[in-house]
Amino acid sequence: IITCQFRFSDYNQAFSTVKEQKEFEKSLFNKTHKGSGDVILLDNWTIVYRNNVDLLFYVMGSTNENEVN
């Protein structure tokens, strides 16, 4: 059983403009597209990603919600 909680509002409210969001996404892609998978911190987001052939899968959460802390 897999349970997921999606809160797109956190992501959507993190950027005041579409331009800021696109810049963040471009930065994220540039930092992760060559790796196979890892955990990174970028602009106060904890990001777990996996790259497989032509698919990039991201799971993102606010650093304030990091259960490891």
Side-chain angles (χ1 to χ4, degrees):
I1 296 175
I2 299 173
T3 57
C4 298
Q5 180 180 9
F6 296 101
R7 292 194 308 166
F8 295 108
S9 61
D10 291 346
Y11 182 74
N12 290 335
Q13 293 175 359
F15 307 100
S16 58
T17 65
V18 173
K19 182 179 178 184
E20 285 182 12
Q21 181 178 344
K22 291 203 180 279
E23 288 174 358
F24 171 79
E25 291 172 358
K26 183 177 181 179
S27 173
L28 177 61
F29 176 78
N30 287 336
K31 293 183 186 309
T32 60
H33 76 280
K34 292 185 180 180
S36 62
D38 207 348
V39 177
I40 63 170
L41 294 173
L42 179 65
D43 295 341
N44 293 322
W45 289 95
T46 303
I47 304 165
V48 178
Y49 71 96
R50 180 75 180 167
N51 183 356
N52 189 5
V53 185
D54 62 348
L55 174 69
L56 290 165
F57 182 76
Y58 297 97
V59 176
M60 300 174 50
S62 169
T63 55
N64 297 331
E65 298 180 20
N66 187 351
E67 295 179 10
V68 177
N69 289 336

